Amino acid sequence: MSSILIQNGRIIDPSQNLDRVTSVLLRDGKVAAFDVAPSEFDTVIDATGKIVTPGLIDMHVHLREPGREEDETIATGTASAAAGGFTSIACIPNTVPPIDTQATVEFIQHQAARAGHCNVFVVACVSKNREGKELAEIGQLVEAGAVAFSDDGAPVFDAELMRRALEYCGMFDKPILNHAEVLELTRGGAVMHEGFVSMLLGLPGMPSAAEDVMVGRDIALSEATGGRVHVMHVSTSGGVELIRRAKKLGVRVTTEICPHHFTLTDESMRTFDSNYKMSPPLRSRGDVDACLEGLIDDTIDVICTDHAPHALEKKMQELDIAPFGIVGLETCLPLTITQLIEPGHLNWEQAIRKLTINPARILGIDKGTLAVGADADVTIIDPSCRWTVDVDQFKSKSKNSPFGGWELTGRAVTTIVAGKVRYQL
């Protein structure tokens, strides 16, 4: 019998509307009790001045393995997740080969279990080989353990395929996570948001309409089929407003946002640094303000990373060649604290909800809570420590972050998975 008693911490668990200073006992991998005194058999963690939450969940992570191990492996990606306070992640299937068979789902599960850093849930392909032509074997992939479906880093561009996918996934109550981009509107070497800054820099841009049109299409198809659509990394004011209206009408649509999209604007591209190149791109100040409103009124359900590691030699290429994306697992929580909680956009309960129980409910996984009997996945946060981001200290294999050198507030100091300490600062 193993037991850990976390005492004197401020426990915030939105799934139980719990916010108070007390103790929580973890025993044999489960949450056992609250408000208990230590016994001689317990390992005691003093969380005085700390915040204790259900283990954080990131529903949008690119682990790269199999096929692109020069960028990340399942072992390094999950170690990065634990260092960022995440006890569970969902991995996206744009690997090589893509995750479109039972065998690849089982490979991910096996490698994740062997690494032993955190829980890994598999998002499988909507279409075979992510080609957008033929549905993957959805039923078999669900049987293998897939919790959701996506063709990200590309959209499900064929509307009829998307309609049939929603109908089929609806039979299993699984969501489709779609990258909202109309490719016809962004082709031609677009590298950033289309607007005043792109015009000044002479760089080809991605118009907001490319995202808005796809969000509108997916909402219409969700309404027509009753299927669940999750809009990945929303970034435009138009997209936020479409989702807000759809929710009011009862459409089964949810969405997420990444820290770079509520922190940075397209002004960052004046540096010509490829670590600011991402898809969807960094948007205008007006878009960022609309996203903040969406976070505040709960139009935006989830905060996630879109952790997209790329080896240094890939990001060091010319801007039009360098790949899209940045790493994010180890800066997500500190940016949430620094950019959302400290300025007063969100309170702790709202932020933790978007990092725990909301992604758990969308994915349909039994996580995101500290209810007695739940898995003992816990994140302990120091909310006030000031620290400077050093990308060379990242557990991730790649270092492509625009936040190197930034001074941030707060971070995870202890990550516990199934009752075992997997990371400690």
Side-chain angles (χ1 to χ4, degrees), residues 332-362:
C332 178
L333 175 63
L335 285 167
T336 299
I337 297 169
T338 306
Q339 297 293 322
L340 299 181
I341 297 176
E342 280 205 324
H345 298 303
L346 299 182
N347 59 36
W348 275 98
E349 189 276 339
Q350 290 171 304
I352 295 302
R353 181 182 296 276
K354 295 176 194 296
L355 286 161
T356 57
I357 192 63
N358 282 3
R361 285 172 176 162
I362 292 168

Side-chain angles (χ1 to χ4, degrees), residues 326-402:
I326 62 170
V327 294
L329 285 164
E330 292 167 72
T331 51
C332 178
L333 175 63
L335 285 167
T336 299
I337 297 169
T338 306
Q339 297 293 322
L340 299 181
I341 297 176
E342 280 205 324
H345 298 303
L346 299 182
N347 59 36
W348 275 98
E349 189 276 339
Q350 290 171 304
I352 295 302
R353 181 182 296 276
K354 295 176 194 296
L355 286 161
T356 57
I357 192 63
N358 282 3
R361 285 172 176 162
I362 292 168
L363 296 174
I365 59 176
D366 193 18
K367 297 288 183 182
T369 179
L370 291 177
V372 172
D375 293 340
D377 296 346
V378 183
T379 303
I380 302 176
I381 300 165
D382 184 340
S384 58
C385 74
R386 301 287 295 179
W387 64 289
T388 301
V389 178
D390 180 355
V391 297
D392 291 328
Q393 298 299 313
F394 283 174
K395 302 293 184 185
S396 173
K397 198 169 185 178
S398 290
K399 316 299 178 188
N400 51 306
S401 169

Side-chain angles (χ1 to χ4, degrees), residues 209-255:
E211 181 168 324
D212 300 347
V213 172
M214 186 63 87
V215 171
R217 184 206 75 170
D218 287 348
I219 288 171
L221 291 175
S222 173
E223 189 172 19
T225 62
R228 289 202 285 142
V229 165
H230 178 80
V231 178
M232 303 178 90
H233 38 46
V234 70
S235 67
T236 66
S237 58
V240 172
E241 181 58 26
L242 286 166
I243 295 163
R244 180 181 289 121
R245 291 180 192 173
K247 284 188 168 187
K248 288 178 180 175
L249 295 172
V251 181
R252 302 181 77 192
V253 58
T254 54
T255 193

